Amino acid sequence: MNRSVEAPLPRFPVSVTVDIVIFTIRDDELSVLLIERGKEPHLGRSALPGGYVRPGEDLDGAALRELVEETGLDGRSLHLEQLRSYGAPDRDPRGRVITVAYLALGPDLPTPTAGTDAAGAAWTPVGKALDPGFTLSFDHRAILTDAVERARAQLEYTTVAAGFCREPFTISDLRRVYEVIWGVALDPSNFRRKVTKTAGFVEPTGERRAAEAGRPAALYRFGGARVLYPPLLRTG
């Protein structure tokens, strides 16, 4: 009796990396942290911080380590989540490399400090980084584009916008986060009504911040909810 014999699966080396898209708001612009690559490939070009996952290291651990090594930032104090994976065969000239991209958000983050294989690190306005004349290494333009849209969508359905605000904050501070990331002006009264009536989004501290003109603004803290219901839609 003939038995079919399965052909052995081909084996080829595959490396895994992590890349981190870190957003903050600086000078009233959505900014992303970029490094200057200190070695080949793409020596001297701008790139997202990241690197190879080490043996025995999980993905989250690799992302946190790379943040510290390349930028000096502690990712444990940031909102950090997986964005998606990227595995085009020709995305890295060094061989077959699959990367898992992370999205990190933080309020008014400090000037980063470059380290390890990064020759420099700086905050760059997202509009500049995505300009056709600005060169990004590997497929980092596609990763950054996806991260911007993820951040915009997250603001509609989750409370992640609070992660851009240092507590305590005003409703105007929170509204400005939406306006900067969405690129639209929002009606202050309508925004305040929606935010304060959404359970768990913000909580009043009972304190006020003195204003240059007009009444002192009420101060709030994050209310602990993760999902917005009803959502704050961009089209609304």
Side-chain angles (χ1 to χ4, degrees):
M1 183 174 66
N2 293 329
R3 293 184 177 180
S4 61
V5 178
E6 293 185 2
L9 293 175
R11 296 184 179 274
F12 54 91
V14 177
S15 298
V16 179
T17 61
V18 291
D19 287 303
I20 307 103
V21 182
I22 314 166
F23 287 143
T24 195
I25 294 178
R26 292 174 70 87
D27 300 324
D28 224 22
E29 290 186 285
L30 180 64
S31 297
V32 61
L33 195 154
L34 298 178
I35 64 164
E36 178 187 344
R37 287 189 56 79
K39 63 181 182 181
E40 295 290 358
H42 307 305
L43 175 66
R45 289 188 182 181
S46 295
L48 298 169
Y52 287 99
V53 178
R54 295 174 177 173
E57 187 176 47
D58 64 21
L59 294 171
D60 290 357
L64 291 171
R65 174 181 54 75
E66 286 292 341
L67 271 175
V68 172
E69 290 182 355
E70 294 201 351
T71 69
L73 294 177
D74 184 354
R76 294 172 298 180
S77 63
L78 308 176
H79 170 92
L80 185 68
E81 65 177 73
Q82 284 190 17
L83 176 63
R84 56 163 290 188
S85 57
Y86 298 79
D90 58 350
R91 63 171 303 275
D92 193 316
R94 293 168 293 188
R96 187 65 193 272
V97 179
I98 296 172
T99 194
V100 179
Y102 279 78
L103 174 63
L105 311 172
D108 191 25
L109 295 175
T111 301
T113 303
T116 62
D117 60 349
W123 293 107
T124 303
V126 166
K128 176 182 178 180
L130 290 179
D131 186 274
F134 191 91
T135 302
L136 282 173
S137 305
F138 308 106
D139 54 356
H140 290 184
R141 180 180 301 277
I143 296 175
L144 177 57
T145 299
D146 290 346
V148 170
E149 183 52 37
R150 169 70 69 86
R152 288 172 175 167
Q154 288 274 42
L155 262 61
E156 293 187 283
Y157 297 98
T158 76
T159 57
V160 74
F164 285 98
C165 297
R166 289 197 182 278
E167 296 183 345
F169 53 83
T170 67
I171 297 298
S172 294
D173 294 334
L174 185 62
R175 187 183 78 248
R176 191 57 190 149
V177 171
Y178 279 84
E179 291 178 332
V180 166
I181 297 178
W182 283 352
V184 297
L186 301 175
D187 178 75
S189 298
N190 191 38
F191 181 82
R192 174 181 292 275
R193 177 180 57 81
K194 289 182 176 180
V195 167
T196 55
K197 289 185 178 296
T198 300
F201 193 177
V202 297
E203 294 178 348
T205 65
E207 300 175 344
R208 290 182 174 272
R209 178 190 297 166
E212 293 183 0
R215 298 173 56 188
L219 293 172
Y220 294 81
R221 66 172 66 90
F222 174 49
R226 298 299 174 187
V227 177
L228 289 179
Y229 185 81
L232 284 168
L233 300 179
R234 279 172 275 183
T235 55

